Amino acid sequence: MPNTAPTATVVPSGHPEGVSNDEFRAAMSRLAAGVVLVTAFEPPLDADGPKGEDVGMTATSFMSVSLDPPLVLVSLREGSRMDDLLDEQPLWAVSVLTESQRHIAGRFAMKGRLSDRLLFEDIPYVRGSATGAALVGGALATLECRTEQRVTAGDHTLVIGRVLTAHVPSADGGPLTYFRGRYRQLG
């Protein structure tokens, strides 16, 4: 009997059988996503050193996972500063950005960006009572979380967090969304 097992076809991305990176990016860019700022406080390395630093990153891969218990998930690029920090520091926060906060999303998404201290310099925020993380003023909603589970998924880490606090400080404006590679407004 002849061998009828399928053979792997290699596409330009180097992935056996499947889509290329460009094809996958193009398809996923058609999925509108809300934009959030994920923040955490990096404690000082030693008691006599600097006082610690706020760290932030823009994310569009954020979602609700469970109501009971309240869980959320954020996808972080493996080896990114936030991934490394949340591997050590279990407390973090999320600010759901409004359409008028596009500049914040862009600032924390830049490659080769400035230090986080400078990025937070002129952004109004309060420190979360449960996590100590920065919560952006004027956000549509804020959540403070404690990591429950980390799951490696390809070149990303899925961080599942238990929601410790949830507030809806602002009812003004609509959400900032990301669609086809750009920040957008609904409507």
Side-chain angles (χ1 to χ4, degrees):
M1 226 164 126
N3 183 354
T4 59
T7 58
T9 303
V10 177
V11 292
S13 69
H15 299 296
E17 287 194 44
V19 299
S20 71
N21 290 348
D22 290 341
E23 290 169 326
F24 182 66
R25 251 187 228 105
M28 295 310 297
S29 76
R30 286 358 187 234
L31 176 64
V35 182
V36 301
L37 183 68
V38 179
T39 56
F41 185 75
E42 184 173 33
L45 294 175
D46 60 62
D48 299 329
K51 61 181 180 178
E53 184 174 41
D54 289 306
V55 176
M57 67 158 265
T58 301
T60 56
S61 295
F62 175 77
M63 62 183 281
S64 168
V65 174
S66 169
L67 184 59
D68 187 17
L71 299 173
V72 293
L73 176 147
V74 65
S75 179
L76 308 174
R77 190 181 73 248
E78 188 177 356
S80 67
R81 182 166 183 202
M82 188 62 75
D83 182 37
D84 292 344
L85 177 55
L86 295 189
D87 193 32
E88 301 290 325
Q89 158 64 285
L91 300 174
W92 46 284
V94 173
S95 297
V96 179
L97 299 180
T98 68
E99 56 199 4
S100 66
Q101 294 175 318
R102 179 185 306 217
H103 65 287
I104 295 172
R107 180 183 296 186
F108 285 89
M110 291 188 312
K111 289 182 170 55
R113 63 190 200 184
L114 304 167
S115 78
D116 283 88
R117 186 178 321 107
L118 295 174
L119 294 175
F120 279 99
E121 199 168 72
D122 62 348
I123 294 174
Y125 68 88
V126 297
R127 201 156 295 288
S129 61
T131 63
L135 302 171
V136 175
L140 287 177
T142 59
L143 305 163
E144 291 184 89
C145 306
R146 181 184 65 241
T147 299
E148 292 276 309
Q149 188 176 1
R150 292 174 54 88
V151 178
T152 300
D155 58 1
H156 278 64
T157 302
L158 305 179
V159 179
I160 299 169
R162 180 180 295 255
V163 177
L164 305 173
T165 69
H167 298 285
V168 182
S170 175
D172 297 334
L176 181 62
T177 59
Y178 193 73
F179 179 70
R180 295 184 77 175
R182 294 181 46 209
Y183 297 117
R184 314 243 183 189
Q185 298 174 334
L186 290 182

